[in-house]
Each structure stands twice: as structure tokens, then as C-alpha cells.
Amino acid sequence: MNDPGAAAGRSPRASSRHSARLLAWLAALLFVALPLLVEQAAAPGAAWRQVAASFGASVDDEAMQPRRLPHRWREDCADCASTWYRLDLLLAEPPRETQAVYLPALADNAAVYLNGRLLGQGGRFADPVARLGARPLWLLAPAPLWQPGENRLYVLVKAERPLAGLMPAPAIGPEAALEGAWRLRAGLAVTLPQLLATAAAALALMMAVLAWYRRGDRADPGYRWLALAAALFAASGFVGLVIEPPLDGARWDLLVLLLGTALAGAVAGLAWHLRAPAPGPEAPARSPAAGGRRSAGAAAVVLAAAAALAPLEPSGAGIEFVQALLRGVFALCGLALAQRGWQRADARLLWPGAVLLLGAAADLLRLPPAALAAMPGVAPWHEPLPLLPWSLAALLGSAAWLLLARFVETLNAAELLNVDLEALVRERTAALQAQFERVRELERREAIAAERERLMRDMHDGVGGHLVSMLAMIEADRRRPGELAVVVREALDDMRLMIDSLEPVDDDLNAVLAMFHDRLAPRLRGAGVTLHWDVDLLPQVAGLTPARVLHLLRILQEGVTNALRHGRARTLWLRADAAGAAGATGDADVAAVTITLRDDGSGFDPAAASGGRGLKNMRRRAQEAGLALDLVSAGGAGTTLTLRVGA
Amino acid sequence: MPRVLLLEDDPATRERLAGIVAASPGLELAAAFGELRAALAWLAVHEPPQVLLVDLHLPDGSGVDLIRAARRLAPQAEAMVISVFGDEAHVVTAIEAGATGYLLKDASAEEIGLAITRLLAGEAPISSAIARHLLRRFRATPAAASTAPPAGASPLTPREGEVLALIAKGLSYQRIAEALGMSPHTVTSHIKQIYRKLAVNSRGEAVFEAQQLGLLPGAALPGS
């Protein structure tokens, strides 16, 4: 039973574990002995006990033999069935108050007579005879029944099985002096087992419900074992409290023994389950070996067979043998649990195991096999209570505690996991959100930066250039307000183009051309130039961004400026129509628009045009905007500028 | 002879415009101001002019206030907004206040004289950008111009919607008249009507909002 890990490990912890184990053993011993100690403390003193008696098969004073009480039939009366006891009480003067006759335990039934008057009896005497079990018998003898001098007390004891027969030493005395002891005994022998059986029935129901709701692979089989054991314990308890059996003696014994056997099996299963290492890092989960299961099954069959056959043996030796076997099984279960609890230094296993072992051992020694019974001093107690029910109840309670603790631990772990998961999800969501915000902010900044850069470039090319030019003119003080006015007007026109280019046009080229027309018309009217505006309703052109619109407007503006300034044109034609490009590519969605700006000016030679900063700019803009630009001109024949947009 | 009230805060531009108006045959400059307060004070005590030329951005307020005041004090007066760029953000605000057109600040003397004369003749110049803005505002899409615009959504008649859509496309009045089978004069009167509706509409909204805010005694709200 030594824990090698503890021995090799740190000694302070090992020693504390050791003392915890010893403490568990001590607590178990105290717990098991508790009913005995309580009863012993309240037992009637020796002064009240009547130990001298005579006994015989009938009320024939001659045939009776003297016997010191208590009288266990197994010791010298193997063929006893109905036995009479005579106790002679010599009183100098009769008592003035009611006297009590108290028999702490009987087997199986008794009737008490005082001076020829029946004081009372435990139950039915006809077959099946009443069984008082561990119940005390409490009878009152009123004062008038007593007489001065000799008083004769007869007790008739009847037992189903001679081996179980018992006549205790009765305590006789004033009611008040003995009542406490009787009530305590009755409480321990009747009320307590009733309470335990009821509690076990409730526990069985609870565990059955738990096992039902947790059925399936994940279920802890401990719930089922505990439910079964508790149910059988409750049944055994209630059966054990029955005084007058509804069946004949042999059948009743059979029922009791079979219930006991089944209970032993269920407790063995429960103990086996509790003993198995709890799944965890210390030891992997392990199902019982098939060999172990087979031998356990075989043992159960043998036990059940023995229990079934035992009642056929009339003396009661068979029953006692089976009972001893069952107690042995309980003791082994207790030992197994206590050993595992000791190994793991787990008081939750060690304590109930020790309790079960001690309780079963105590009962086993009280009811020893026939060979042991002959030995003097083997049965040292004075009609002690059976301790096994008490111990079993402790085991069931501990098992319930253990299983519920495991259940709650699992639940807590699951809840913690949930909380962790939720926190994790929240964290991730927040991180994603932050990431998203960051990306959006970056995109926004990039877009702003790009737009800013475009505006700066456009201003540099347009208004900036014009302003520089104006400044140069003013500084040179050439006093040519006409020229200055032209440059200023161009600067203003350019700014208007920029503003127009920012107008949302929704890919509508008509809108762009309309804006251009609105700007152009007053200026041409003022210059006396005729404008022929011939614009069809045009299809939408994808991707008309402000940058492209500005390029387009500036190319047209430049074309008009060139025609007026250099070509001295008097008439301008602007024509815009959907080109046949859609048909050429076979893709109806791709629309192309051709814009043609023609003038009747002097024209120029595009190949030879060296002063073509304006031309170069137009080509660059067309390239940047993805427009196809075509300039056709010849001296004196005007100029035709063709722009293709889209496709 | 039609009298013109000029409100423009830039002295050079004011002088130039005042000179153009004064020099225009058939126009008389009634007064020129650089501040809103002075113009309002003048309007309150003088014979109402026929034409207002108003700059919107003034040191002591918005020219829109003068246009509003003129609606009360000089209901017959036509108001024009003077703008550097003629962008719709400026012009539409003024139209909502009751203006019927706009002038570019750098327009030539001929253009300005022509624009005022046309205004007095009942024409209402409207740029394509402004037309597009109005279409968006009235939720009548150019595509829906050929069919009837959704009832209730737009105060415009289907015809007005069509005219507006074609103006937004940049078509000349002549071509619009051809396309819609009407005279150019009818196109112009449609545009006038649109202007009026816009002003009325915006005033209706203002009244409605005032009622919502509890500034005006509640009247039965139409359609609600």
C-alpha cells in the first residue's frame, strides 16, 4: 500500500499525505463505531440486567436447565425451536410504579409473561413467525402485577432457524430508568434504517434520472452503478424492517438473500468503477480487463446459486454462510477502495472504503462461520447492531458526493471553456475590427493622397502655369493688359474644367460634353465664332473617373484654343456619336464613342509642328486617360481632332 | 427702363459689373452695394428694382437673404446669382431661394447684357450640371424622362422632366424643341416653370420643417 511516488518525492508533502491517510482511517473507525459507542453509553447498567435463568422446551419447571443469559442457541441448543425461559425475581416489597421489561434484541420473536399474565409479544407466533431482527422489545408491567417475595417471569422465544436463536439478558426496572436506552436502541435499529432506506431510494431516483439524461457514450457509468446499488440498498432496508413476513420463512429468506446478493454485486460494480483511475493526465482511462469481468461474473453466479440454495438448509447454517460470503464481498470492496484511496492519498475514496471494510468486518466477526463460533471470546459484543447498513449508507453517500463532484467539475470546466471561448471570440472580433479599421484608414489615406497628388499635378499643369506666366508678365511690366487678360481667362477656364471634372457624371459622356458646351458657348459667342454642336445620345462609358474627365476636357479645350488662337477659325463643329466599335468587337457591352472637333482654321502640319508643347501635352493626356487621339491637319484645310473613348 | 440692383463685395468686380450695366442700352443701375445690410436697407425704402445681381458670399452674410427679402419687397424682380465658377452647389441654393439664373463673374460685357435682357424677356438660363442636379433632386432619372415620372415623387410634369433630362444631356433648346415637338419658346417656359417649382418646393419644405420644429402653428400637412 506504499505509494512509491510519495516515498521518492518531497518528504514534507509525503508526510502530510501520510497523516491525511491515517486521519481518514481514524475517521472511518470512529464513524463505524459511532452507533456502538452511542448505544453502549446509553445501555442499561448491569444493575438492571437479569443474567440468571432456566430454559427448556416447555413450561415444565422440572425439565428446565439453568442458563446464564444471553443465550445464543448456536452455542448449545442446535435443535431448539420454541424455547421457554424462566427468570425468578425476589422482591422484598413490590414496586410502587410501573416496571419495564426491556429486551435489547431477539431472534426471532418473543412473548413475556409475569406471574402468569401476558405482558406482550413481538408479533405472530404461527408460521411464518414474526422477525424482530435488531428491534428491541419493550413491555410494561404495571405495579399491581408484582407481588412481594417471588415473582416469576416467563419468556417464550421462537426462531425460524435454530442457529439464529437468541435470548438476551433482559433489563427490568423502573420505566423511567430504562426508557432512554430503549428509545435510543429503537432509533438506531428502526428509525435510522428507515431514514437511510428512504434517502437511498431518493438517491437512486436522482441517479437514475441523471444516468438517463446522460446516457450515451459520454455518460459516466458510475451513475448507473450508484442508482442500482442505492435502489437495492433501499429495497434491502425496507425488507429488513418487515416484522411479519407475507411469505413463508424459506421464501422470505430467499428474497432477503437474493436482494443482499444483488446489492453486493452492485456495490462491487460501483467500487470497481470508483477504483478505476479517473481519466486525466495521471493515468489514461482504462476499461476493466475482460478476464476480470469474466471472473466477477462467475463469482456472481456462484453467490446467487448459493443464496438460492441456502434457505433449503433448515438450521440456518447455509444462510449464515451466504451472509458471511456477502459480508466478505463487501469487505473486499471496501478494501479495494481503501487501497486505491491510500495509493492516491484521496480521502474521498479512502474513507468510504475504510468504513465499508470495517463495517463488513465487524458484522462478519459477529456472525462467524460455525467453526469460529465455538471459540470463546470471538463474539465479544452484547447484542450489537448490524453495522453494514450504516457503512453501506456512508459508501453510497460518498459515492454520490464523488460522482456529483466530478459532474460539477466537468460542468465548471465546460463553463470555463465557454467563457474562454467567448472571450477569445470577442478578442478576435475586436482584433478583426481593428484590422479592418486600420486597412480602411490606410485605404482612405491612400485615396486622399492619390487624389491630392492628382489635383496638385493638375494645378501645376494648369492654374499654376498660368499664374507663373501672369507673374512673369507683371514683373516684366510689359503693360499688355490684353495678353494678361487672356492668360487670366485661361487660368479661370482651367479651374472651371477642374471643378467640372469633379462633378459626378455617372459614366455619362453626354453630361461631360454638356458641361464643356456650357463653358464653351458663351466664350465663342463673345468671340463671334459659330459653333455647330451635334451630339447624339451616347451610351454609357465605363470608368469615367474625374482624372479621365479632366484629361478629356483639357484635350478638347486645347483643341478649341489652338483652333481659335493659331488657326483663327471662324466656325467649329463638334460631333459625338457611338462608333461602330461595339459591332467590330462583337461585344455589345463595350461601348465606344467618337468625338470629332473640326474647325475651318488655317490648320498646321502635325509632323512639322515644332511649337507643339500643347500637342505633346494633348497626346500625353490622351495616353494617360486611355483615349485614342488622332489629329489630321493640313495647311489651309483646318484641323480635325478625333478622340475615341472606351473600347 | 429696367433698374438693376447690384450686390458684390469685391470692389473691382463690382465696379466692372456696375460699368457694364450702366453702359448697357436699356438697363439702368439703381444701386451697387458691397454689404448685405446696406442692400437690404436700400431695398426696404426704395422703389423695387426689376433685376437683382447678387453675389452669394458676402462679408456680413449670404446673398440668398437678399433674394428672399426681394421675394417679399419686390415680387416682380428677377434675381441672378453672380458666381466665379457657376457650379451647381452655389447656383442651386440661390435658385431655391428664388433666383432664376446665374452670371459668371468674368463674363464679357456682351454676355452680361444679353443674359440680363434674356432674363427680362422671360428666359431662364440653365446649365446641364444644374439640370442634372435638379433631376437627382426630383428623383426623375433621364431614362424615365420619356415615360411618366413616378407620381408623388416629383412635382414636375412628365414634359418638364423630359425637358430637364435633355438639358442635362447638353442638347440646345432648339434641338430639345425639335426632339419634343414643341417650339423653343415652350422649352423656355417649361424651364421657367421648373425654376418656380423648385423655389416653391424648397419653400414648402421650409414651411414643413418649420412646422415639424414647432416654429409655425401647425396646419394640416398635405399627404400625411
Side-chain angles (χ1 to χ4, degrees), chain A residues 99-119:
Chain A
Q99 299 289 301
V101 177
Y102 169 49
L103 290 91
L106 278 173
D108 288 311
N109 192 8
V112 179
Y113 303 82
L114 177 64
N115 296 328
R117 298 278 294 273
L118 176 66
L119 289 182

Side-chain angles (χ1 to χ4, degrees), chain A residues 444-458 501-502 545-547:
Chain A
R444 203 175 63 86
R445 280 191 200 168
E446 260 175 40
I448 289 175
E451 195 60 14
R452 188 179 135 85
E453 198 197 338
R454 187 181 74 79
L455 283 173
M456 293 305 288
R457 203 176 53 228
D458 288 340
S501 75
L502 293 173
T545 60

